[in-house]
Amino acid sequence: MSPTAISTVVANGTNGQNPKLEFESYYNVINNDLTNTARTRHNINPATTEPNPEVPVSTQEDVNKAVAAARAAFKPWSNTTLEERGEKLVAYADAIEGYKHEFAKLLTAEQGKPLAQSYQEIGMATTWLRAFSTMTIPDETIEDTEERRIVLRYTPLGIVAGLIPWNFPILLAVGKIAPAVITANTLILKPSPFAPYCNLKLAELGTHFFPPGVLQVLSGEEDLGPMFTTHPDIDKIAFTGSIATGKKVMAAAAPTLKRVTLELGGNDPAIICDDVDVEAIIPKLAILSFLCCSQICMMIKRLYIHENIYPRFLSAFTSHTASLKVGPGTDPDVFIGPVQNKMQFDKVRSMYQHISSEKWTPALGGNVPDANPEGKGYFLEPTIIDNPPDDSAIVTDEPFGPILPCLKWKDEDEVIARANEGKWGLGASVWSKDIERAERMARRLEAGSVW
């Protein structure tokens, strides 16, 4: 079956004023030129397993050309003013917003999330761009005496490579574009091989706003990442993805002493106290557990419920979760779309297989999906496991799919210790009407962000 276009050609976006951008053909962007490669590949729509359009497969030569263009652009770009760069970010945000319908359709076709969530992602991305456009980078005077004056200045690093994951390709690309551009660095995006389409179009649209070499993109396969992390003339790697890949990125960047920012996985605990309004918080907890088919690093992955309310909570939570519609992201009222790719589908499916082998008790769902979903899409029914052992894989590992353990707790010290168990520490939350109690517990949680 031949790949088909994801969207229709549009001449001027949805507001009639944007630069021309079509959504049928996909190219690398090197030095503001749209380039192709000798070999191409395509991804599939995870809701249908139908092929999406062809995209480039970049080589070391392409990387070297992009790095050379970024290096040439760096000095003049670093001499622009903060105000000039901020204005470009705002104009870029306006242009993305002008194509929001096209980007939303494209995002759903390559990632699988419901259209409503695609629009939310685009809205968050443009908010980030506009927020960074107001960023100030003042000099900080450390000491000012008759003998000396010591000033702390923040200066651009140079060339940044942004390695983007497949779960939020627009938002997390913009999360690297905005800070890199406003701080006068040049940036090369490397999309996930599973979700390259939106990143390619973001950079193509950027050619109308940024000088050549400032924002570029290269699509490729699994071997493309190491070409960036080992390249001697790249100054920083910004990576979002799994812990396993993050370790490889850090190791590969070490010989050239690149600066590295890693945003990795999470197994976030949520602690529910016995004073909560169960009916009021259930819809919020369901969203924070199953949004984007649970493929978010900071989703709730472990739900600890006080034993005094556990039966009532579990009943209400499973009932509400069962009402969430599963299906293709283009269908009305769908909340849970497919898992994004076959590799992740197989990983999450293996967790469903544990239900029987480990004798877990499903309060909802639990059916093992077909191992071969071709033609059907990578769909998994939301599943809730009733109080599994703390050492079970559903508790100790990050599923990154719509399967969630609910666990009982009685004592604060005990639940804090259990929540802090393991190698993860990205996020956590405490739910209580008693703010003092919630803050006391939150301060003891070992996580980068606690709500």
Side-chain angles (χ1 to χ4, degrees), residues 94-225:
D94 291 344
I96 293 172
E97 196 166 71
Y99 279 108
K100 64 182 179 182
H101 301 309
E102 294 78 22
F103 270 115
K105 185 176 180 181
L106 176 61
L107 180 56
T108 292
E110 74 166 330
Q111 203 285 329
K113 65 184 61 179
L115 273 170
Q117 294 174 30
S118 291
Y119 278 108
Q120 290 171 353
E121 179 173 344
I122 294 163
M124 289 189 290
T126 55
T127 296
W128 277 14
L129 285 165
R130 293 181 178 118
F132 272 101
S133 75
T134 66
M135 180 178 176
T136 59
I137 314 174
D139 291 350
E140 182 180 346
T141 301
I142 305 298
E143 183 178 340
D144 192 357
T145 67
E146 292 182 357
E147 294 184 354
R148 61 180 172 267
R149 187 177 184 217
I150 302 174
V151 178
L152 176 64
R153 299 175 58 234
Y154 296 91
T155 59
L157 291 174
I159 302 173
V160 180
L163 279 55
I164 314 302
W166 47 258
N167 57 340
F168 277 76
I170 291 180
L171 181 64
L172 295 177
V174 164
K176 293 171 176 41
I177 293 170
V181 165
I182 197 65
T183 54
N185 295 286
T186 55
L187 176 69
I188 308 171
L189 294 177
K190 188 209 79 69
S192 164
F194 294 110
Y197 298 95
C198 286
N199 282 189
L200 292 171
K201 285 301 168 184
L202 284 174
E204 182 178 342
L205 187 59
T207 63
H208 298 279
F209 301 96
F210 305 114
V214 171
L215 174 60
Q216 304 176 91
V217 64
L218 297 178
S219 167
E221 297 180 317
E222 294 294 337
D223 63 344
L224 183 58

